[in-house]
Amino acid sequence: MNLLSVHDLAVSRGGLRAVEGVSFTLAAGRALILRGPNGIGKTTLLRTIAGLQPAVGGRIDLAEDAVAYAAHADGLKGQLSVAENLRFWARVFGGGGTRDALEAMNLKALAERPAAALSAGQKRRLGLARLLVTGRPLWVLDEPTVSLDSASVERFGAVIRAHLATGGAALMASHTDLGLNEARELDLTPFRARPGSPRRPASFNEAFA
Amino acid sequence: MLALLRRDLVLAVRAGGGFGLAVAFFLIISALVPFGVGPGVAALRPIAAGILWLGALLSCLLSLDRIFALDHEDGSLDLLATAPVPLEGAVAVKALAHWITTGLPLVAASPLFGILLHLPGQAMPWLIISLLIGTPALSMLGAFGAAITMGLRRGGLLLSLLVLPLYIPTLIFGTEIVRRGADGGDPGTPILFLAGITLAVLALVPFAAAAALRINLR
């Protein structure tokens, strides 16, 4: 069963087409890593799939409320403790398992500490632990390993593998190796939008896209 | 949604949340006016209703930009937009949290400040009623302005420029209620108008604010 299928997708950033003609499918239990140089539109593509911005062209097929999105900003409140932050997102998403999520990302000892007192890597781990409490099948991850040490990267790789094993899927943009040998890779470089030569007439709505 | 309301309230009360700032500002305005226009009953009584409402309105304005800016900065808003909570609901809840932490304390403190400004005793109930009906509209309209100016640095001034004209009807009918109450007149008509404005704002503005948020999140 495909959790996500993308057909001939074109996305734009700041009114300019970033990548176009991207097609892929992602089945349950699979992971796909997007590669490509800085600025090609990996983040834009992920935000589009997460539903944060509209696609310029093409089609995205995925179930409603399937995506858990994690980006550079972790959405943490410094005044709340680690456990409070996590519990909040668990309630918002109607998920649970806060304790297991803390355990999985090795945050148990820090549970009562205010999030403002965490290091960058610890914040990242908390941001990634949030994925576990959403209970959503499709993880859309934008550079998940930034500021993680190698032990944490390995740990997160194991978390992703466990998620895939339970029928989830992961779509991520990453420059580092997560140790996910089974993951497919998609290089976005060939899909770079050619400036000035849109493949179909630009619609009126594009001015507002 | 309840989780969001609870988080916003906890954040407002904890260090750096700015709870009570609006009341302090309201107090300063009410305390300074007698120095400016003279402490006499003859000078203060005619303008008390207007000053009180103006003070409440400006105090409310003070914390508006925080409604969405903080959540935008730390990425919470992106995550909320992908959450099962509809964005319209999130807007309404955040406006409600703003009202509870800003509007409600203003309502509670207003009789005290009314005394500072020689507001007649018979107008006090009407002051409380008018603020109770009117301030939710101030928070909701403010949430709309905050949604539009969310991504801008130093958006506070633009926010004030956008929101203050929208506050005018609330201000007119709010002060009219208190003035009629002070003169022993019948404040029924302005109360109905004020309630109508507030209800319309509460019903329509969440959709406008959510649309503005979606555009700003792109």
Short mmCIF file of all heavy atoms in Angstrom, two decimals, chain A residues 15 29 32 46 53 62 64 70 74 97 113 123 126 129 146 148-149 173 190 198 201:
data_model
loop_
_atom_site.label_atom_id
_atom_site.label_comp_id
_atom_site.label_asym_id
_atom_site.label_seq_id
_atom_site.Cartn_x
_atom_site.Cartn_y
_atom_site.Cartn_z
N GLY A 15 7.68 32.47 -5.35
CA GLY A 15 7.18 32.76 -6.68
C GLY A 15 8.02 32.17 -7.80
O GLY A 15 7.63 32.23 -8.97
N GLY A 29 6.56 1.06 5.22
CA GLY A 29 7.76 0.29 5.53
C GLY A 29 8.98 0.73 4.74
O GLY A 29 10.03 0.11 4.85
N LEU A 32 12.63 7.11 1.98
CA LEU A 32 13.20 7.75 0.79
C LEU A 32 13.98 8.97 1.26
O LEU A 32 13.49 9.78 2.05
CB LEU A 32 12.07 8.18 -0.16
CG LEU A 32 12.51 8.88 -1.44
CD1 LEU A 32 13.27 7.93 -2.35
CD2 LEU A 32 11.30 9.44 -2.18
N LEU A 46 9.38 19.33 0.71
CA LEU A 46 8.87 18.68 1.92
C LEU A 46 7.72 19.48 2.53
O LEU A 46 6.73 18.90 2.99
CB LEU A 46 10.00 18.53 2.95
CG LEU A 46 11.10 17.54 2.55
CD1 LEU A 46 12.20 17.53 3.60
CD2 LEU A 46 10.53 16.16 2.37
N GLN A 53 2.30 24.48 2.08
CA GLN A 53 2.15 25.40 0.96
C GLN A 53 1.59 24.64 -0.22
O GLN A 53 1.73 23.42 -0.31
CB GLN A 53 3.48 26.07 0.62
CG GLN A 53 4.59 25.13 0.22
CD GLN A 53 5.86 25.93 -0.07
OE1 GLN A 53 6.46 26.49 0.83
NE2 GLN A 53 6.23 26.00 -1.32
N LEU A 62 -2.09 11.49 -0.69
CA LEU A 62 -1.80 10.86 0.60
C LEU A 62 -3.03 10.97 1.47
O LEU A 62 -3.90 11.81 1.23
CB LEU A 62 -0.57 11.47 1.27
CG LEU A 62 -0.68 12.79 2.02
CD1 LEU A 62 0.60 13.04 2.79
CD2 LEU A 62 -0.91 13.95 1.08
N GLU A 64 -5.49 11.75 4.56
CA GLU A 64 -5.60 12.93 5.40
C GLU A 64 -4.98 12.65 6.77
O GLU A 64 -5.05 11.54 7.28
CB GLU A 64 -7.08 13.30 5.57
CG GLU A 64 -7.30 14.75 5.88
CD GLU A 64 -8.79 15.09 5.87
OE1 GLU A 64 -9.53 14.46 5.10
OE2 GLU A 64 -9.18 15.95 6.64
N ALA A 70 8.79 17.46 10.62
CA ALA A 70 9.82 17.97 11.53
C ALA A 70 10.83 18.74 10.70
O ALA A 70 11.35 18.21 9.72
CB ALA A 70 10.49 16.83 12.28
N ASP A 74 12.21 23.28 16.10
CA ASP A 74 11.63 22.14 16.78
C ASP A 74 10.28 22.42 17.43
O ASP A 74 9.63 21.52 17.91
CB ASP A 74 12.60 21.62 17.85
CG ASP A 74 13.82 21.00 17.21
OD1 ASP A 74 13.66 20.20 16.29
OD2 ASP A 74 14.95 21.33 17.63
N GLY A 97 2.04 7.81 24.55
CA GLY A 97 3.34 7.17 24.62
C GLY A 97 4.46 8.15 24.86
O GLY A 97 5.57 7.98 24.35
N ARG A 113 13.60 18.94 33.10
CA ARG A 113 14.41 20.15 32.88
C ARG A 113 13.67 21.10 31.93
O ARG A 113 13.02 20.65 30.99
CB ARG A 113 15.76 19.75 32.27
CG ARG A 113 16.77 20.86 32.35
CD ARG A 113 18.07 20.43 31.74
NE ARG A 113 18.82 19.51 32.59
CZ ARG A 113 20.12 19.28 32.38
NH1 ARG A 113 20.74 19.86 31.38
NH2 ARG A 113 20.76 18.44 33.17
N LYS A 123 17.80 19.54 22.25
CA LYS A 123 16.55 20.10 21.71
C LYS A 123 16.12 19.31 20.47
O LYS A 123 14.95 19.01 20.28
CB LYS A 123 16.74 21.57 21.33
CG LYS A 123 16.63 22.51 22.49
CD LYS A 123 16.77 23.93 22.03
CE LYS A 123 16.83 24.85 23.23
NZ LYS A 123 17.44 26.13 22.95
N LEU A 126 14.57 16.13 21.37
CA LEU A 126 13.21 16.33 21.84
C LEU A 126 12.27 16.58 20.66
O LEU A 126 11.16 16.05 20.60
CB LEU A 126 13.17 17.51 22.82
CG LEU A 126 11.80 17.91 23.36
CD1 LEU A 126 11.09 16.72 23.96
CD2 LEU A 126 11.95 19.00 24.41
N ALA A 129 11.64 13.32 19.16
CA ALA A 129 10.78 12.49 20.01
C ALA A 129 9.31 12.83 19.77
O ALA A 129 8.43 11.99 19.91
CB ALA A 129 11.14 12.69 21.48
N VAL A 146 20.71 17.41 12.03
CA VAL A 146 21.50 18.60 12.32
C VAL A 146 21.75 18.70 13.83
O VAL A 146 20.83 18.53 14.63
CB VAL A 146 20.77 19.86 11.82
CG1 VAL A 146 21.45 21.12 12.33
CG2 VAL A 146 20.73 19.87 10.31
N LEU A 148 23.08 16.72 15.86
CA LEU A 148 23.10 15.49 16.64
C LEU A 148 24.52 14.90 16.64
O LEU A 148 25.22 14.99 15.63
CB LEU A 148 22.15 14.45 16.04
CG LEU A 148 20.65 14.67 16.19
CD1 LEU A 148 19.90 13.49 15.62
CD2 LEU A 148 20.28 14.88 17.64
N ASP A 149 24.93 14.31 17.78
CA ASP A 149 26.21 13.62 17.79
C ASP A 149 26.03 12.23 17.16
O ASP A 149 24.90 11.81 16.89
CB ASP A 149 26.78 13.52 19.21
CG ASP A 149 25.82 12.82 20.15
OD1 ASP A 149 24.95 12.08 19.66
OD2 ASP A 149 25.95 13.02 21.37
N ALA A 173 15.05 14.78 3.87
CA ALA A 173 16.15 15.42 3.18
C ALA A 173 17.32 15.39 4.13
O ALA A 173 17.19 15.77 5.29
CB ALA A 173 15.78 16.86 2.84
N PRO A 190 18.35 16.52 -11.36
CA PRO A 190 17.79 16.52 -12.72
C PRO A 190 16.44 17.21 -12.82
O PRO A 190 15.99 17.52 -13.93
CB PRO A 190 17.64 15.03 -13.05
CG PRO A 190 18.37 14.30 -12.02
CD PRO A 190 18.46 15.17 -10.82
N PRO A 198 8.79 27.43 -18.64
CA PRO A 198 7.82 26.56 -17.99
C PRO A 198 7.27 25.56 -18.99
O PRO A 198 7.07 25.87 -20.15
CB PRO A 198 6.74 27.54 -17.51
CG PRO A 198 6.92 28.76 -18.32
CD PRO A 198 8.35 28.81 -18.71
N PRO A 201 1.79 26.41 -19.96
CA PRO A 201 1.51 27.83 -19.74
C PRO A 201 1.23 28.10 -18.26
O PRO A 201 0.48 27.37 -17.63
CB PRO A 201 0.25 28.08 -20.58
CG PRO A 201 0.21 26.97 -21.55
CD PRO A 201 0.91 25.81 -20.95
#
